[in-house]
Amino acid sequence: MEIIDDIKYDAQGLVPAITQDIYSKEVLMVAYMNKEALQKTLETGNVHYYSRSRQKLWLKGETSGHFQKVKEISFDCDLDAILIQVEQIGAACHTGNRTCFYRSLKNNELVEKEAKDQNQDKFEVLQQVYDVIVDRRKNPKEGSYTNYLFDKGIDKMLKKVGEETAEVIIASKNNDKAEITYEISDLLYHLMVVMVQTGVQWEDLCNELLKRR
């Protein structure tokens, strides 16, 4: 018997699904799945939910482009709740916030968290940019510079890396912090395009750096 048959669905045939960012470990949202939604999620690698209000199956990101790529699925001890760890493309919340949990309780009132609370890990932006590059490769957009690089191939990408490296050197020699910041950002972007092209992820780099530390 498959795992989807073992799940303890409620009287409406639903089970709560908690979605978590695989990298930041931030809880992104809570929704519901039925048997079909779970089956579609397992088959496609993209998270599907069941909408209680619309009474229908829905693919997260189908209209917004903010897809959730499945990285790992876990089940609680009673098999009546699901934890889905994902690579989030864009925002998880329909409000445009990264997570649906963007408000906190203060003095018995709901208030929006300060920006620094929502993005405690400032390096998260690197993963977000990486995710956009991945999405451009899978879902090309007309006029996209990123798609231009993918169309031209690895030689063009490496040429740009070389050019941007030279720009960093020149900016550093000029000792201009703003210019250095700008040029390093350009270099990082082009390096991320190469990373996506060659299948290297930030997790791979972090693991390598941890070994060296």
Side-chain angles (χ1 to χ4, degrees):
M1 182 178 292
E2 296 183 0
I3 184 65
I4 61 173
D5 296 319
D6 293 332
I7 299 297
K8 295 180 182 177
Y9 304 96
D10 64 16
Q12 287 73 47
L14 303 175
V15 60
I18 303 156
T19 309
Q20 180 184 39
D21 189 296
I22 185 70
Y23 304 108
S24 69
K25 306 306 178 185
E26 187 175 30
V27 175
L28 299 174
M29 58 183 285
V30 177
Y32 287 85
M33 287 182 162
N34 61 4
K35 185 176 180 179
E36 183 183 5
L38 180 55
Q39 182 69 57
K40 286 283 188 182
T41 298
L42 294 172
E43 288 176 354
T44 66
N46 292 307
V47 182
H48 290 67
Y49 299 104
Y50 183 82
S51 171
R52 294 176 297 170
S53 59
R54 291 177 290 164
Q55 296 287 297
K56 62 181 293 188
L57 195 73
W58 61 287
L59 165 63
K60 176 65 176 177
E62 187 171 15
T63 57
S64 66
H66 297 166
F67 296 98
Q68 293 176 339
K69 308 295 184 181
V70 177
K71 291 297 182 180
E72 185 174 333
I73 298 180
S74 304
F75 303 89
D76 81 332
C77 55
D78 295 320
L79 291 180
D80 58 5
I82 304 174
L83 174 64
I84 310 171
Q85 292 182 299
V86 302
E87 178 183 309
Q88 176 68 50
I89 306 297
C93 185
H94 73 281
T95 62
N97 287 283
R98 175 72 177 173
T99 169
C100 291
F101 297 92
Y102 61 91
R103 295 176 293 182
S104 60
L105 189 63
K106 292 184 180 179
N107 299 322
N108 210 32
E109 291 184 359
L110 276 178
V111 297
E112 289 195 17
K113 297 179 181 179
E114 297 178 6
K116 63 179 181 180
D117 292 330
Q118 294 187 51
N119 298 287
Q120 290 181 351
D121 183 3
K122 296 185 184 298
F123 292 101
E124 184 181 341
V125 69
L126 294 175
Q127 185 60 51
Q128 292 173 2
V129 174
Y130 184 97
D131 291 344
V132 171
I133 295 171
V134 170
D135 185 58
R136 287 291 184 274
R137 189 182 191 189
K138 294 180 179 179
N139 304 289
K141 289 191 176 182
E142 186 176 354
S144 165
Y145 175 66
T146 302
N147 286 132
Y148 164 77
L149 291 175
F150 282 123
D151 289 341
K152 290 298 182 180
I154 190 66
D155 287 345
K156 180 65 174 179
M157 296 174 189
L158 297 178
K159 181 180 179 182
K160 290 300 299 181
V161 168
E163 291 175 359
E164 297 302 337
T165 300
E167 294 292 341
V168 171
I169 293 171
I170 295 170
S172 300
K173 290 289 288 183
N174 293 336
N175 198 27
D176 184 327
K177 183 178 179 181
E179 186 182 1
I180 295 169
T181 300
Y182 183 87
E183 298 300 345
I184 289 179
S185 297
D186 269 354
L187 176 58
L188 280 174
Y189 159 76
H190 286 91
L191 284 173
M192 280 189 271
V193 173
V194 172
M195 288 168 63
V196 173
Q197 175 72 12
T198 56
V200 177
Q201 299 185 18
W202 281 115
E203 185 178 4
D204 300 318
L205 299 184
C206 290
N207 289 336
E208 179 61 29
L209 290 172
L210 283 172
K211 293 177 186 176
R212 300 185 184 192
R213 186 184 69 177

